Amino acid sequence: MTETYVTRVSRVDHDRHHDLPIDPDLPDEPYQPLHLRPAALGLVLVGGTAGTGARLWAEESVHPWGAWPAATFLVNLVGAFVLGGLLEGLARRGPDVGWRLRTRLLVGTGFLGAFTTYSSLAVEAALLGRDSLPGLGLLYAVGSVVLGFLACAVGIWAASTHARRGRS
């Protein structure tokens, strides 16, 4: 006999412990993982479509700085900054439900997930190495990650500073 384990149950799930009270904080309907909810997938799809278009625009508008792939570099830094600020701002406004969840899915997962691109970063770094510029490829890869981390931290700092000023 095989059993499927779920990380969260609802009041309508079969309860093997009839002697224990039902948790009133559990939903009345069975839990459905976020990735299986059509509305959530739709938000990610719409955001991802817009993010892909924005990345395409950036790739066509920003020319390389010599051998340095400037468009992907800038897109990833801007995306890291905005994602850090977005998630900090949403978290400071309350739990990840309702409009905050929808905004995170549409803008964070969808738009920024498609706008930023790790795969292009990896390919461009490898191509720099292939084109006899291994030092530049390594600098590009490490620099993108380190500066992306810093951009995200600055986004978090900016959102938290904005939130503190709003309460003053």
Side-chain angles (χ1 to χ4, degrees), residues 44-117:
V44 173
L45 174 69
V46 169
T49 301
T52 301
R55 187 178 75 230
L56 175 62
W57 172 83
E59 293 287 341
E60 291 177 350
S61 301
V62 179
H63 302 290
W65 303 331
W68 191 271
T72 302
F73 181 72
L74 293 174
V75 156
N76 286 339
L77 293 182
V78 168
F81 171 80
V82 173
L83 186 60
L86 173 73
L87 295 181
E88 179 69 14
L90 291 173
R92 287 180 172 272
R93 285 173 176 77
D96 190 29
V97 295
W99 70 268
R100 288 177 295 278
L101 174 63
R102 290 189 299 275
T103 300
R104 180 177 61 81
L105 291 173
L106 179 71
V107 180
T109 304
F111 183 86
L112 293 171
F115 181 64
T116 60
T117 172

Side-chain angles (χ1 to χ4, degrees), residues 6-147:
V6 194
T7 57
R8 186 172 172 189
V9 296
S10 73
R11 286 193 250 176
V12 295
D13 289 334
H14 177 69
D15 182 7
R16 292 181 180 196
H17 304 281
H18 298 287
D19 55 326
L20 298 175
I22 294 174
D23 184 346
D25 294 330
L26 291 174
D28 290 327
E29 297 178 13
Y31 174 74
Q32 185 177 27
L34 197 55
H35 70 280
L36 297 178
R37 298 180 201 172
L41 293 175
L43 288 169
V44 173
L45 174 69
V46 169
T49 301
T52 301
R55 187 178 75 230
L56 175 62
W57 172 83
E59 293 287 341
E60 291 177 350
S61 301
V62 179
H63 302 290
W65 303 331
W68 191 271
T72 302
F73 181 72
L74 293 174
V75 156
N76 286 339
L77 293 182
V78 168
F81 171 80
V82 173
L83 186 60
L86 173 73
L87 295 181
E88 179 69 14
L90 291 173
R92 287 180 172 272
R93 285 173 176 77
D96 190 29
V97 295
W99 70 268
R100 288 177 295 278
L101 174 63
R102 290 189 299 275
T103 300
R104 180 177 61 81
L105 291 173
L106 179 71
V107 180
T109 304
F111 183 86
L112 293 171
F115 181 64
T116 60
T117 172
Y118 175 79
S119 58
S120 292
L121 182 156
V123 167
E124 290 165 348
L127 290 175
L128 287 168
R130 182 201 68 188
D131 295 341
S132 301
L133 298 167
L136 189 61
L138 184 60
L139 178 64
Y140 174 66
V142 172
S144 292
V145 171
V146 170
L147 291 176

